[in-house]
């Protein structure tokens, strides 16, 4: 894949409520100029944004204790005894991991692709070519490129203790988390994904939030090769006049996007 920042981003959408198109989830969001930001708990990939947390050892806590202020040394001393974690130590280590995961679960993500002609994307995310794709102008979408690798990222939870005890500003930890949250296993590389995150938080018990955007963010709407004419006409009638429309067409071994 090219490292050049794409001019456009693409959001593939599936149409599922053909009986009542005005109430269809994807069409309703399109007409209302809303992007749906999802929690990682709502992703179809079990390992997307999953982070392996490396638990500190009693020795790690002992070394940390040497660095903290005097009033904190006694507190950390209660975590370990004779080279092992005390019940309090075990509880605190577990609590830190639980609070971290709870926080990450509340982060909203909006995923787009830099590729409008990927057959798998149209198949997986646009109802096997019966849906549509929103072409966004990238200048309005603060998305960052997803990193693909063989294993999920790892973060030492000891790095979460340091800012708490005033040993650093947490900037390095924050950067580690941001990179981890846009990392996926390399089997998903075909998606050519870019990701927007950091716009508010998702409340407990919820899986997504809707974020409004200006209609000028959209360059065009691209209709899938197999989209129903009724669906296509409904979208064109519901959207503002002057909007550009394109369609995906099936070639011999590829997909081509042409203007309508």
């Amino acid at each position: 894949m090219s490292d050049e920042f794409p001019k456009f981003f693409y959001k593939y959408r599936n149409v599922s409520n053909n009986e009542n198109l005005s109430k269809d989830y994807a069409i309703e969001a399109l007409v209302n100029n809303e992007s749906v930001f999802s929690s990682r708990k709502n992703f179809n990939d079990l390992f997307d944004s999953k982070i392996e947390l490396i638990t500190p050892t009693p020795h790690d806590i002992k070394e940390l204790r040497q660095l903290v202020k005097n009033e904190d040394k006694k507190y950390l001393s209660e975590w370990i005894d004779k080279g092992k974690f005390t019940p309090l130590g075990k509880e605190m280590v577990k609590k830190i991991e639980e609070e971290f995961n709870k926080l990450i679960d509340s982060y909203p993500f909006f995923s787009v692709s830099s590729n409008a002609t990927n057959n798998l994307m149209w198949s997986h995310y646009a109802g096997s070519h019966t849906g549509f794709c929103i072409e966004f102008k990238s200048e309005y979408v603060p998305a960052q490129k997803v990193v693909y690798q063989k294993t999920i990222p790892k973060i030492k939870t000891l790095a979460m203790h340091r800012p708490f005890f005033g040993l650093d500003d947490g900037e390095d930890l924050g950067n580690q988390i941001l990179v981890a949250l846009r990392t996926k296993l390399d089997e998903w590389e075909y998606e050519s994904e870019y990701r927007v995150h950091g716009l508010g938080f998702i409340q407990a018990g919820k899986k997504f939030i809707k974020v409004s955007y200006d209609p000028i963010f959209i360059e065009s709407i691209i209709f899938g090769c197999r989209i129903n004419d009724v669906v296509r006409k409904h979208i064109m009638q519901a959207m503002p006049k002057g909007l550009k429309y394109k369609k995906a067409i099936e070639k011999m071994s590829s997909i081509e996007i042409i203007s309508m």
Side-chain angles (χ1 to χ4, degrees):
M1 291 186 297
S2 173
D3 289 331
E4 183 180 352
F5 195 74
K7 186 176 181 179
F8 301 106
F9 286 129
Y10 303 93
K11 184 64 178 180
Y12 292 84
R13 304 297 279 153
N14 176 40
V15 177
S16 56
N17 190 354
N18 286 280
E19 300 301 318
N20 189 351
L21 293 175
S22 62
K23 295 297 182 181
D24 178 78
Y25 184 76
I27 293 178
E28 187 175 34
L30 173 65
V31 172
N32 292 332
N33 303 307
E34 293 177 329
S35 294
V36 181
F37 282 65
S38 297
S39 161
R40 65 175 182 172
K41 296 174 70 175
N42 201 36
F43 291 163
N44 59 347
D45 175 11
L46 291 174
F47 306 102
D48 192 344
S49 299
K50 185 176 181 180
I51 303 171
E52 181 180 352
L53 299 180
I54 308 301
T55 302
T57 65
H59 180 71
D60 291 331
I61 298 300
K62 186 176 180 180
E63 289 190 336
L64 180 67
R65 186 179 60 187
Q66 305 305 313
L67 303 175
V68 301
K69 299 175 182 178
N70 288 333
E71 57 265 32
D72 294 323
K73 291 184 186 295
K74 181 179 178 181
Y75 175 59
L76 284 176
S77 295
E78 297 175 355
W79 289 30
I80 51 177
D81 181 45
K82 297 179 181 179
K84 296 182 179 181
F85 280 117
T86 64
L88 175 63
K90 292 179 181 179
E91 179 185 351
M92 293 306 300
V93 168
K94 181 180 179 181
K95 183 177 180 180
I96 287 172
E97 293 186 1
E98 289 176 345
E99 289 299 315
F100 174 79
N101 279 313
K102 183 178 178 181
L103 176 63
I104 300 304
D105 285 343
S106 73
Y107 285 178
F109 301 91
F110 180 67
S111 298
V112 290
S113 174
S114 63
N115 191 341
T117 59
N118 188 287
N119 179 45
L120 290 177
M121 293 295 285
W122 279 103
S123 298
H124 295 166
Y125 299 109
S128 296
H129 304 268
T130 63
F132 61 93
C133 187
I134 308 171
E135 183 178 35
F136 285 106
K137 301 170 186 174
S138 65
E139 62 187 294
Y140 298 113
V141 184
Q144 294 178 298
K145 194 173 185 179
V146 165
V147 176
Y148 299 95
Q149 59 186 42
K150 292 183 178 180
T151 58
I152 64 172
K154 300 179 181 180
I155 290 181
K156 294 182 178 180
T157 56
L158 189 66
M160 302 172 196
H161 295 274
R162 294 182 62 85
F164 179 80
F165 289 107
L167 297 177
D168 62 49
D169 59 8
E171 182 177 355
D172 182 63
L173 172 62
N175 289 333
Q176 289 185 60
I177 293 172
L178 288 177
V179 171
L181 293 180
R182 59 176 188 271
T183 299
K184 300 182 70 169
L185 297 181
D186 54 14
E187 62 193 15
W188 296 91
E189 192 168 6
Y190 73 89
E191 293 184 337
S192 188
E193 183 180 343
Y194 284 71
R195 182 166 287 177
V196 182
H197 54 77
L199 299 177
F201 294 94
I202 298 175
Q203 295 180 354
K206 303 291 184 180
K207 292 185 177 180
F208 63 87
I209 58 174
K210 293 182 178 180
V211 178
S212 298
Y213 60 83
D214 194 303
I216 66 170
F217 291 9
I218 296 179
E219 171 69 12
S220 74
I221 303 297
I222 305 172
F223 296 117
C225 300
R226 299 171 176 167
I227 195 166
N228 186 294
D229 282 343
V230 174
V231 175
R232 176 179 56 79
K233 291 177 181 178
H234 177 89
I235 291 175
M236 294 180 73
Q237 290 173 357
M239 295 300 289
K241 292 182 179 180
L243 182 64
K244 297 178 184 177
Y245 293 97
K246 301 176 183 178
K247 62 180 179 179
I249 60 173
E250 179 184 354
K251 306 294 284 187
M252 186 57 66
S253 301
S254 62
I255 294 171
E256 183 179 333
I257 307 298
I258 63 173
S259 298
M260 293 178 59

